[in-house]
Amino acid sequence: MTENAQQQPPAPSTDLPTQYAPADVEGPLYERWVERGYFEADAKSDKPPYTIVIPPPNVTGSLHLGHAFQHTLMDALTRRKRMQGYEALWLPGMDHAGIATQNKVEQQLAEEGKSRHDLGREEFVERVWQWKEEYGGRILGQMRRLGDGVDWSRERFTMDEGLSKAVLTIFKRLYDDELIYRAERIINWCPRCLTAISDIEVEYQEDAGELVSIRYGEGEDSLVVATTRAETMLGDTAVAVHPDDERYRHLIGKQIKLPLTDRTIPVVADAHVDPEFGTGAVKVTPAHDPNDFEIGRRHDLPSLTIMDEHGVITVHGPFIGLDRFEARSTVVGALKEQGRIVAEKRPYMHSVGHCSRCKTTVEPRLSMQWWVKVGPLAKAAGDAVRDGRVKIHPEDMSKRYFDWVDNMHDWCISRQLWWGHRIPIWYGPDGEVVCVGPDDEPPTGEGWTQDADVLDTWFSSGLWPFSTLGWPEKTPDLKKFYPTDVLLTGHDIIFFWVARMMMFGLYAMDGEAPFHTIALTGLVRDEFGKKMSKSNPNAVDPLVWMDAYGSDAVRFTLANGANPGADVPIGEDWVKASRNFTNKIWNATRFALMNGATIEGPLPDASEMSAADRWILSRLNTTVAQVDAYYDDYQFAKLADALYHFAWDEVFDWYVELSKTTFFAGGEPARVSGRVLGEVLDVMLRLLHPVIPFVTDALWTTLTGGESLVIGDWPKDSGFRDKAAEQEIELVQRVITEVRRFRKDQGLKDGQKVPARMELTGTALAPHEAAIRQLLRLQPEGDAFTATATLPVAGAEVALDLSGTIDVAAERKRLAKDLAAAEKEKSQANGKLGNEAFLAKAPDHVVDKIRTRLAKAEEDITRIQAQLERLPQA
């Protein structure tokens, strides 16, 4: 074979385009996966089940980075288990999102000059269903863009027939077990949405209000209370003090005059009052404050509602008809006229609850509502984690879970809406109350009416892990796929959705928890750690990034930041870097295929392999073991990092480069390395597939001729390790890295060839001389060779002839200048660190910064001096 022939690589053996274009690959590939039914789970299968139910996005929603983040991780888990031979079910669906959806349709009606009351309940609900069919579920199409491997044949909706039956069934059971009751309690009320809302739907923020101190009573029989809601004094029915507070002991049990009214109210003693806070006396408004409500119950105080559902005052002539905020300033003005204002502070920053939907300030309001008695349910939910039936990951999140379930208040489940599951309670003409189950006929006849309220959305979504599988029927799906394996969700809803699913699952499924593991994630933030929101300019539409860089790039970026329970910073530059990674995989695999990479035939015996072949196979199996361990511990960031460095650094930057001389030479060594490289690519693409499914499937099917990685096998650690080969290649890497660093220090261009003499005899490096020379652009020494720089490294010696390649005098001058600057920096840092007066006054972070500067200067001096020593004499 001629020299020219030896230098020619084998003919291309791939039909892959020269560049990876995600837009051309991702859409058609996903449709192919769905059409072939790869994501459909079989309840009759003998395979072990693996189940994840998706946290149902709102029907009004669209894909945001938080969704993309959690969906990427759930998809990775499910894809891997499917490849491991499990009957994997990732069940999709949507939540009807009562308030959010009703608001959408009411906004449409407002544009038509109508309200829901113009249509009536039945016609309005029909209008909402029409809206859902036309506009709802946009997020489902966006999930396809992301590559979600969900079983679309099992898609569910919290208002569909089966889930509605589940809601009626569990309501009836809870009611019959006296775990659902109706009572008047303080609730969060939205005067804009005109409904009670749950704690999860209240967002707290610091508002600038006012704190006014008001004198109640006269002379010695007076005391001062402070409030940020002066208008609520119109509903006061007592003033409370601590029973041991000597200042007010003479007033306990007395009646004092309530300003602006013709009423007197008692002074009561209650241990809830903190005598050290403020004046030690608090106004008690049972109908408009949850703490006051409890004081009122303990002292049998009346509860006076002073405003209607719109937040408009309904009592005391001068204030009737005023909005609550108008009434606040008007009441303060009236109190001033009477000389009752002792002090005012404004602005007074304090935490105020707002409706998460419309941002209206929430009003605590006494209201007749339906409640779940959570005591026994919450205890069961706590016990399931304490006794190990359910694991919380990371474990340190367990404390937050216990803090909630161990101190849970009864749950208000009724909402004053028309869209949702209507409460199945009927009231008769003579005060009868009948709960109607799914198989019961509602009572008929004159005077019978159904409760007008609907259930909190969290009530139906709390049934999600089992209602979606067919409960209350004993379906094959329920038998096969319940309990689910893992709930992966954000730590921000551990108190609301997670706890409700635990309570309902344990109750409905005879003590069997709805999942084995609760894997909690953090929240996605921008690259500076700030929370992303639609109202901030830092909010990102992930679809924009998918269009620009591909879905795989977005997925890999999100997985790469996913440390358990920790928030995830993400920026566009990081997505670009992930795009570069997918391009690298494409280009390097294409090159490998063109240079003999193959999976044909058995893997050669280790005795036939080069050290580089054995090294990469050893590293491959180590990586398989690492990735498996990280998956089992939900360490997505670590597994993504391990895969990134294995693929880019070890496979592409080292193994492929080290093997080029072998491929170009041809013959049996090239065949062996081609088979090894094919094996490595096959396994590497399998390992990467769950996180970046599109590019890996396109490349793997080309490499192997297989049908799809979605149904491919997950790789196993063969146990092959070769420490000797790893140590040998580490020596090669040290030589190449050191010489590359020297070349860079001398200002040599990457492609610039330099004559070199290599003394490798007697070392493990000797077989690698050709590869080392090729990677370092080192020519044979030649007859006129002069060693102008000698590098001892890894037990060998590399001598370089730099004459004619650099201007030695100019290089010495440049390095001398850099050395002087580094020595000056060292001197200044030493001067400050040696100054006791400076050290006594300077903050720790300033001193640490100077120590860092000193260490850097010393490192630079050592490096520059070594460079000068290596330079030839001018």
Side-chain angles (χ1 to χ4, degrees), residues 5 32 49 52 140 164 205 224 240 262 295 341 389 392 396 420 467 473 514 590 641 659 676 698 751 774 792 808 817:
R32 193 178 313 140
I52 296 180
L140 299 179
S164 295
Q205 65 185 46
V224 175
D262 57 1
I295 293 175
I341 300 296
R389 280 174 287 158
I392 292 181
D396 58 11
S467 64
E473 307 302 327
R590 185 174 182 276
D641 185 67
S659 302
V676 170
Q774 178 175 316
V808 176
K817 183 179 178 181

Side-chain angles (χ1 to χ4, degrees), residues 147-166:
D148 282 8
V150 296
D151 186 346
W152 293 110
S153 71
R154 285 178 165 86
E155 180 190 337
R156 304 304 298 267
F157 179 55
T158 51
M159 289 280 286
D160 68 27
E161 184 177 351
L163 270 67
S164 295
K165 182 176 183 180

